[in-house]
Every structure is written in structure tokens, then in C-alpha cells.
Amino acid sequence: MSDTSGELSRRPPPERTGRVPPHNLAAEESLLGAMLLSRDAIASATEILGGSADFYKPAHGHVYEAITSLYAAGEPADPVTVAAELARAGLLEAIGGPAVLVNLQSGTPATSNAARYARIVEEHALLRRLIGVAGEIGEIGYSMPDDITKAVDRAESLVFEVAQRRVTDTMAPIRELLDANLDRLEHLYERGDSITGIPTGYVDLDELLSGLQPSGLVVVGARPSMGKTAFSLGMAAHAALEARRPVLFFSLEMGHLELTQRLLCAEARVDSSRMRNGRLTEADWPKISHAVGRLAEAPLWIDDNPNLTVMEIRAKARRLKSKVGDVGMVIVDYLQLMSGSNPAENRQVEVSTISRGLKILARELEAPVVALSQLSRALELRADKRPLLADLRESGCLTADTVVTRCDTDTPVTMGELVESGERDVPVWTLDRHYRLVPGVMTHAFSSGVKEVFELRLASGRRVRASANHPFLAMGGWRRLDELEVGTPLAVARRVPAPQRELALVGAGAGPGEERLELDGLDVCWDQVVSVEAIGAHEVFDATVPGTHNFLADGVVVHNSIEQDADVVLFIYRDEVYHPDSPDRGTAEILVAKHRNGPTGMTRLAFLDHYTRFANMARGV
């Protein structure tokens, strides 16, 4: 097939030498033709390629995206259906029309060679990506950056991204997996120790968790003044000093000096106020000298760069592993201060991406990664201020009477009813990136406590009650409720697909204030905001819909809570922070709210505020 779609051939500009970036149009055309003929070819291609960006010719990328979208929806992919998909996206004429698809199909040498075609496409894409990265690294050098170390780290992460794109075979037969598991069991049995992971030094917590497990992501959440940093420094010091395991501590909140002072104070058992003002006693100096000697030999590294991204953390952790051969623990203080490597549609998605990146780092290092997290201030409104899992999520919430649109029945169901019944894996309608309602799964709904609630009214008469930070799909993307203004267009369901019919939510035509989208076949239209009014504090709820991360709430498209990637979630609660005369003064509750591979529960620690340090409670107390 000749290269005739000039407007879509936006190839990367050639280098000054006039060289053309590596590509193989014949392989791209043969692969797409095979995919139009065979579902097996589609499966082979998606296993190897990273996406439509792997195609040199943009028109080919659009065709690939249309085919894979149909395949993901369980629909057939042939020249007719793919043409319809492209037309729906407004791209059919841009790629050259339906005849191009027919030519691709008829010009395929052999569908059985699809995997090899895909490999050729992928290899050329990697070479082009490498060329692009080399140019970007060159620009970094020519820009004469002030922070050379950061510049080198950025260059390393860029090259690592290219290397990570290589598809590796992650499948293994069960026989090999069982052998590896038996070897590990024999090792643990011979060692005879109940702590199978990295010990935290907090005895009761270690017994509950069996230590922090390799490849695990541990989130430690608390409100300000509860002692998140002191708690994590205690874990870091114990792992480095007692277990002699290398620890890497990233602090986006405190600097080197303050962190070192805290470590020294806790290790020397010297009053923190005297450490800060320098009014030390004669008895303090020998203790400080001994603590300095111990800490100086500890395999502990601290990085206080306040602008770190997940990619930079991963690069630095990999570099440390290459130096010391093993990393025992990585600690990040704290999650909400981090920014993503790429801009996200909202903070919910960005935090989820960061969390996912830290989980990937834990698996890469085969070491626990501990991420500290600031909890939502919404818990301050509750009588019992002990944290709940819902306080960890950066998401908004809906009231109990909010109606969720299921895709398995016409009978409406409310958020409150879903939580009360405990029903899981609820089939619901969710909006895909093509603005079509498709079946999805609401894995579970849950209470998020009591929050201030606002009633959102739309021109069509729809009403939704939600917290101020709940995101709604506006014409320009996801926007929080407290960012909406009168007249803001929001996406609402125009029709809901059904096996044999369409269920009209707002009648045959657009309702008052609604404006249909220009493209035919879409399942949503725009409804305008009329008012947003405060209605007081109410118990609120949220839900999780993996993949699309949205569902219909009273017919309006709303974002959902994003499930944490954490294997373990710990909360720190000190009652004296809220009640100075508390009988539990001087103690802290460590709440294990989530434990993917074991029990949850609560343990207690002593909090020695004059040392800014947590310590084990005396046994029997």
C-alpha cells in the first residue's frame, strides 16, 4: 500500500544529517492486515506492542487503535467494523477511507507471521525511541543545568524507560513456581524465625506482619502530629542498625539536618529540646558520641530532594542496589508531596499512578517500600477520629440515596443499599474513552464517614449530592464539585444500552439545558450546572470501578475511588493529640487496616515525646 495520507504522515523530523528514523512500513501494513483477518493475530500483536505509538505512520496507529478497541470490547474486527469505529472517532477519511482497510487485508502475506511482523514494528519503535531519548539527553546537556546530579539522574531514567519497553516473558510453568516455593519454605523452616521479612523493631507489629515482606508496598497513614516520620525513622534505624540491611530514606518534607538530628536524638536517648538548642549536659556527650559511632556505620542513605518523582526514586534505588547488591527497605516521606512524571487528568489519578509506581519499585527491588501518607481532614468531623481506609483515598463521596445504574437489571439501586447488602462485583454501566457506555464492574461500595455535602442541580432537573472534592466529567475533563460554576457543561447519560432495547433516561430528545454531542452514536450529552448549595454534614459513600474509574450517579458521569496498590496499610493514632487528658497519653495505636496476605488488628507502642521516638510497650502492660 502506497503512502498517500500526507496529512497523517507526521513523521519525526530527520536529523541534520538527513537521515530518516528507522521504520518498516511493509511490516506495519502486513501486521494490520493480519489483524483484520485473524483474532489470533490481534492477540499476538497486543502481547508484543506497547500501543499505537509503536507505528511509524500515524494512520497505521489509528487503525491499530480501532482494531484493539473492538477486540477489547469482544466485537469482531474486519474492514467494515473498523471503518465504523474510525468513522465514530472522526478518523476514517483521514486514514484514506475504507479502501485502505481492504487493501491492508488483501495485501497480507500470511496471518501466521503476525508475531514476527509485530516484533519488527516493536524493534523499529524502540530504535526511534532511543534516538529521541538521545536527543533529549543532548538537550539536557546543552541547557547547562544547575543541578548536574539531577540532570544525570534524569538521563538515566530516560534510558531506563526505553529498556523497560522491551517485552519480557513473565510466564512460568507451575512446576518451576512450586519448586521455588518449596525452596523458600525449607529456608524459612531451617531458620526457625517467625519474622520472615524485614523487621521493623516494633515487636508486636512484627509478629502480626511477620516483618515487612519483600516486594510489598506498605502505606503508613496518619493526620499531622501523630508521628509518621518518627515511626518510619524508627523502622529505618532498626533495619539498618540491627538487621544490617541497606535502607534508602527519601524525605520530601524534612531536610538532611533535621532528619539526622532526629535519628541521633532517638539513638542517643537525649532530650530533643536540648538537641535543638544545644544546651546539652555533661552526661549527654558520651551518649551522643556512642550514637554517632553506631549510626556512622549503618547502611542508611537519606535523600532530601523535595521535588522527586517516582521515576527519579526508582532510578536512585536501582543505582544503590547496583552498588550494595541488595536493598532492605525504601521509605518515602510522604506520598502527597510527590508529583507524577506525567500530568494526569486529576489528582486522584496522579496519586494512583504514584502508588502504582512505588509498588512496581518494590517488585523490582524485591524489597518492601514504605510510603507515608497524609490522611484526609474529613476524619476530624467524626466523634471517633481513628482512621479508616476511606480516609486514605483522595476521592470525593456521594450520599446514600445516590442511584447507581446497573447493567444487569432495570431495577435502580442506591449507594446505601449496596453498602448495606455488602454486594460485590456489581455490573454497572461505565463510560469509555469514546464516550460510549459499556459494561463495567463496581468491585465494592463503602462508607467514607461523615463529610460536608453539597447538592448539585442541573438544568434537566437532575440532582446529585456529593462532597466538595468529588470529580464530575465536564466538557474540558474531570473537575471537582467545588470547581464547578453555573453554566458548566457536565456529561450525563442520554441513553443506556440494553440487550434488546435502549432505556431512555431523559426521553427521546434532549432535555432542558441539554446539548447533544455533534458525533452520532454517543451515549452522553451535556447538561448545564444550575446551582451548587451546601446541605450540611451527611454520611457519604464511594465505590471502585477498575479500568474506566467512573460510573453513573443519578444519570450523571462521576469519577470513583481508586483502589490503593498497598499490600499493607497501617494507621497511627494517638488519642492525646485530640484529648490532652486522655488516659492513653504516652501511647499510640498502630492500626493494621489492610493486610493482603495476613490478619489485620491493632498493636500498641509507647511514644516518648522527649526523644520523638516510638518504643515497644513492656510485655504484660
Side-chain angles (χ1 to χ4, degrees):
M1 186 178 73
S2 60
D3 185 0
T4 58
S5 52
E7 71 276 16
L8 281 176
S9 298
R10 299 185 299 273
R11 302 178 181 178
E15 299 180 3
R16 292 174 182 171
T17 57
R19 291 183 290 183
V20 177
H23 65 282
N24 190 321
L25 292 181
E28 293 184 5
E29 294 167 357
S30 299
L31 175 60
L32 293 174
M35 294 172 72
L36 289 168
L37 288 166
S38 168
R39 290 178 64 86
D40 291 340
I42 301 175
S44 297
T46 53
E47 285 180 7
I48 295 171
L49 298 182
S52 59
D54 282 357
F55 289 84
Y56 177 69
K57 186 175 179 179
H60 292 164
H62 293 316
V63 175
Y64 175 84
E65 195 167 300
I67 294 173
T68 53
S69 294
L70 291 168
Y71 179 73
E75 300 175 13
D78 57 43
V80 175
T81 58
V82 172
E85 181 77 5
L86 289 167
R88 187 177 290 111
L91 295 170
L92 181 58
E93 295 306 316
I95 69 151
V100 170
L101 301 174
V102 176
N103 290 339
L104 286 173
Q105 188 183 54
S106 62
T108 301
T111 59
S112 58
N113 293 337
R116 180 55 188 151
Y117 300 148
R119 189 68 67 188
I120 294 171
V121 172
E122 185 228 12
E123 289 171 352
H124 284 82
L126 283 172
L127 292 175
R128 291 196 301 275
R129 199 166 288 113
L130 189 61
I131 292 170
V133 164
E136 192 170 344
I137 292 173
E139 289 299 320
I140 292 174
Y142 281 117
S143 67
M144 298 294 292
D146 295 330
D147 191 336
I148 303 300
T149 302
K150 185 175 180 180
V152 172
D153 198 61
R154 173 59 181 160
E156 182 186 62
S157 67
L158 287 170
V159 175
F160 179 74
E161 286 177 14
V162 177
Q164 286 293 92
R165 271 286 295 113
R166 292 294 305 184
V167 178
T168 57
D169 186 3
T170 54
M171 293 187 297
I174 188 65
R175 181 186 299 276
E176 293 180 7
L177 299 177
L178 288 170
D179 288 344
N181 207 275
L182 285 174
D183 290 342
R184 179 176 180 275
L185 285 174
E186 289 175 1
H187 171 73
L188 294 175
Y189 177 78
E190 291 171 359
R191 196 171 71 175
D193 191 346
S194 62
I195 308 303
T196 59
I198 302 295
T200 66
Y202 305 129
V203 178
D204 293 338
L205 182 62
D206 280 335
E207 288 181 359
L208 188 63
L209 302 178
S210 297
L212 303 185
Q213 298 301 308
S215 304
L217 173 60
V218 180
V219 172
V220 179
R223 289 293 292 151
S225 303
M226 290 292 173
K228 294 187 299 295
T229 303
F231 180 79
S232 61
L233 282 174
M235 291 195 297
H238 183 85
L241 289 168
E242 308 302 332
R244 306 302 299 174
R245 300 297 300 274
V247 176
L248 181 53
F249 195 108
F250 292 98
S251 175
L252 288 82
E253 183 177 32
M254 297 183 183
H256 283 138
L257 184 61
E258 186 175 0
L259 286 170
T260 306
Q261 182 176 290
R262 285 196 172 206
L263 281 167
L264 191 56
C265 174
E267 181 63 23
R269 309 293 200 278
V270 171
D271 189 278
S272 58
S273 61
R274 296 204 304 271
M275 186 74 80
R276 282 194 301 271
N277 59 33
R279 296 177 181 175
L280 300 168
T281 67
E282 292 277 337
D284 290 335
W285 286 106
K287 293 189 286 186
I288 291 175
S289 178
H290 178 71
V292 167
R294 275 175 52 81
L295 287 170
E297 299 300 319
L300 174 61
W301 287 261
I302 297 175
D303 188 312
D304 68 348
N305 184 349
N307 301 309
L308 283 174
T309 64
V310 175
M311 184 55 66
E312 290 168 333
I313 287 176
R314 288 170 64 180
K316 292 185 177 186
R318 289 193 309 272
R319 191 176 305 143
L320 178 62
K321 183 174 182 177
S322 68
K323 289 180 181 178
V324 302
D326 181 29
V327 174
M329 183 190 302
V330 175
I331 299 176
V332 180
D333 182 11
Y334 60 90
L335 195 61
Q336 282 77 11
L337 291 179
M338 295 182 64
S339 58
S341 302
N342 300 305
E345 60 187 21
N346 59 46
R347 183 58 179 166
Q348 280 180 279
V349 175
E350 187 173 30
V351 171
S352 177
T353 301
I354 292 169
S355 175
R356 183 60 181 157
L358 294 177
K359 174 59 180 176
I360 292 172
L361 173 61
R363 294 192 60 182
E364 285 179 352
L365 299 178
E366 296 183 336
V369 172
V370 179
L372 309 190
S373 179
Q374 192 86 282
L375 296 183
S376 166
R377 64 170 59 92
L379 66 81
E380 308 285 355
L381 300 174
R382 299 198 299 262
D384 185 352
K385 295 175 173 54
R386 287 172 175 81
L388 305 171
L389 276 176
D391 299 318
L392 187 63
R393 300 174 169 94
E394 288 210 357
S395 64
C397 305
L398 303 159
T399 54
D401 57 356
T402 303
V403 176
V404 176
T405 308
R406 301 179 65 132
C407 66
D408 61 339
T409 177
D410 297 348
T411 304
V413 63
T414 66
M415 294 285 286
E417 290 169 344
L418 287 175
V419 172
E420 185 177 359
S421 68
E423 185 176 0
R424 289 181 171 263
D425 298 330
V426 180
V428 297
W429 290 113
T430 182
L431 198 67
D432 69 8
R433 57 192 175 86
H434 297 300
Y435 288 83
R436 295 178 307 185
L437 288 172
V438 298
V441 176
M442 181 178 286
T443 57
H444 62 297
F446 47 87
S447 172
S448 297
V450 176
K451 294 184 180 181
E452 285 296 319
V453 171
F454 298 80
E455 183 175 80
L456 169 69
R457 296 180 60 194
L458 302 180
S460 64
R462 293 182 180 86
R463 299 186 182 192
V464 181
R465 296 177 176 181
S467 59
N469 61 335
H470 201 102
F472 291 76
L473 183 56
M475 192 170 285
W478 293 102
R479 293 176 62 180
R480 290 163 48 115
L481 177 61
D482 56 9
E483 296 173 343
L484 301 179
E485 301 172 349
V486 173
T488 300
L490 295 184
V492 299
R494 184 179 74 183
R495 59 191 182 195
V496 176
Q500 302 297 327
R501 66 191 187 283
E502 291 183 348
L503 303 176
L505 289 186
V506 295
E514 294 178 354
E515 177 185 348
R516 289 187 184 278
L517 296 177
E518 295 181 359
L519 298 176
D520 290 334
L522 300 182
D523 298 327
V524 295
C525 52
W526 300 113
D527 202 346
Q528 292 183 349
V529 175
V530 171
S531 65
V532 178
E533 298 180 358
I535 59 172
H538 293 267
E539 184 178 12
V540 287
F541 304 84
D542 207 344
T544 297
V545 182
T548 52
H549 300 303
N550 70 76
F551 59 98
L552 294 180
D554 293 318
V556 183
V557 181
V558 299
H559 211 284
N560 79 147
S561 170
I562 299 176
E563 189 68 34
Q564 291 287 335
D565 292 286
D567 298 282
V568 175
V569 175
L570 308 177
F571 292 128
I572 304 173
Y573 176 76
R574 291 169 48 219
D575 196 57
E576 65 187 273
V577 174
Y578 298 106
H579 308 104
D581 298 327
S582 170
D584 293 327
R585 184 175 181 83
T587 67
E589 297 177 16
I590 308 301
L591 307 167
V592 182
K594 178 181 179 181
H595 188 189
R596 197 185 302 276
N597 299 310
T600 58
M602 187 270 284
T603 65
R604 287 188 181 274
L605 292 174
F607 181 69
L608 312 178
D609 57 354
H610 49 295
Y611 298 149
T612 321
R613 179 178 185 270
F614 287 90
N616 291 306
M617 300 285 285
R619 291 290 177 149
V621 176

